């Protein structure tokens, strides 16, 4: 019995500590709607496709029922300067580029926390302080002025109309609110594992047992 209560209290405290460091929408269990909102998608064990297994994405609705997004946690061993050796400013980018997805794999995208400039084309807004930049001119401007304010990705992800909804119905993704802390996490190698485990604690859809709550509140 003592062992049970020790582990129950540890589990409850872990939930509480984790929730304390999350945005309010996480802690309250307020889930975004992928049909209308930008979201973080965490692959579940049901998603076995080799491209997307154990992946974490940011995605948002696009025109005609489509969705667009980018994989966040698949950093490559390749630098931007290696891809563009003749572009001197690319040597100032410290982090290696990421594999963003299998679509438009011949193009670079940048994710940045501030709007890249008025009148810029090829900019997708995830939130008011998070943007994906697709225009080569705008990306060049970022690299030349603030190269390490952005992350750089090769390729992206595009869902056909209704495709993401079908994948969600099959249990392939856990949906979380967008968080800049997730998008710009320094070390992404353990990102999927931590989000997958933590989302199970927060979003199982089951109430925390009253006995566990009582232990937590002691």
């Amino acid at each position: 019995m003592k062992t049970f209560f020790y582990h129950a209290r540890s589990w409850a405290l872990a939930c509480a500590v984790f929730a304390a460091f999350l945005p309010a929408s996480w802690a309250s269990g307020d889930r975004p709607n992928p049909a209308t909102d930008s979201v973080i998608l965490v692959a579940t064990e049901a998603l076995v496709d080799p491209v997307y297994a154990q992946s974490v994405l940011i995605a948002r609705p696009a025109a005609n029922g489509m969705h667009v997004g980018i994989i966040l946690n698949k950093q490559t061993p390749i630098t931007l300067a290696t891809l563009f050796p003749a572009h001197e400013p690319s040597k100032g980018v410290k982090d290696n580029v990421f594999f963003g997805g299998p679509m438009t794999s011949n193009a670079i995208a940048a994710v940045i926390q501030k709007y890249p400039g008025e009148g810029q084309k090829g900019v997708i807004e995830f939130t008011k302080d998070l943007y994906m930049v697709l225009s080569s001119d705008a990306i060049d401007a970022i690299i030349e002025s603030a190269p390490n304010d952005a992350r750089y990705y090769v390729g992206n992800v595009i869902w056909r109309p209704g495709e993401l909804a079908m994948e969600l119905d099959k249990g392939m993704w856990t949906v979380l609110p967008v968080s800049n802390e997730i998008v710009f996490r320094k070390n992404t190698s353990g990102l999927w594992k931590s989000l997958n485990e933590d989302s199970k604690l927060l979003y199982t859809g089951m109430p925390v047992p009253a006995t566990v709550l009582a232990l937590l509140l002691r």
Side-chain angles (χ1 to χ4, degrees):
M1 185 64 71
K2 182 178 179 181
T3 301
F4 167 78
F5 280 110
Y6 172 79
H7 287 298
R9 176 174 287 185
S10 298
W11 182 87
L13 287 172
C15 291
V17 170
F18 176 72
F21 287 92
L22 293 175
S25 57
W26 283 54
S28 67
D30 181 20
R31 299 197 201 187
N33 181 358
T36 56
D37 304 322
S38 295
V39 294
I40 296 291
L41 298 173
V42 182
T44 68
E45 287 86 350
L47 209 172
V48 295
D49 183 288
V51 174
Y52 298 107
Q54 298 189 3
S55 62
V56 179
L57 286 76
I58 184 170
R60 62 150 292 160
N64 302 317
M66 300 173 69
H67 283 77
V68 62
I70 206 160
I71 300 173
L72 300 172
N73 65 323
K74 297 195 176 184
Q75 193 170 24
T76 76
I78 302 169
T79 65
L80 199 63
T82 301
L83 294 177
F84 303 103
H87 187 238
E88 189 66 24
S90 293
K91 296 178 181 179
V93 177
K94 296 177 181 178
D95 291 338
N96 292 353
V97 299
F98 288 74
F99 170 69
M103 309 298 181
T104 59
S105 56
N106 61 340
I108 293 288
V111 174
I112 194 166
Q113 297 185 76
K114 60 182 179 180
Y115 191 71
E118 291 299 326
Q120 290 283 5
K121 296 182 179 180
V123 177
I124 295 174
E125 179 183 302
F126 289 119
T127 68
K128 293 299 182 183
D129 60 354
L130 193 62
Y131 302 86
M132 181 164 67
V133 184
L134 304 174
S135 162
S136 58
D137 289 341
I139 293 172
D140 283 346
I142 293 169
I143 296 171
E144 291 164 7
S145 62
N148 296 299
D149 284 356
R151 281 198 170 166
Y152 303 92
Y153 301 81
V154 176
N156 54 43
V157 181
I158 298 173
W159 288 266
R160 295 186 297 271
E163 189 174 17
L164 179 56
M166 179 186 68
E167 292 175 359
L168 290 168
D169 287 343
K170 291 182 178 180
M172 294 181 177
W173 303 102
T174 297
V175 178
L176 301 177
V178 172
S179 162
N180 285 20
E181 289 77 14
I182 291 175
V183 176
F184 289 98
R185 178 166 166 168
K186 183 64 177 175
N187 182 0
T188 62
S189 61
L191 182 61
W192 176 82
K193 183 178 180 181
S194 63
L195 288 180
N196 186 52
E197 292 174 351
D198 295 337
S199 62
K200 286 177 181 177
L201 291 177
L202 289 174
Y203 290 150
T204 57
M206 302 189 327
V208 177
T211 52
V212 174
L213 284 176
L215 286 169
L216 179 61
L217 295 173
R218 280 185 181 181

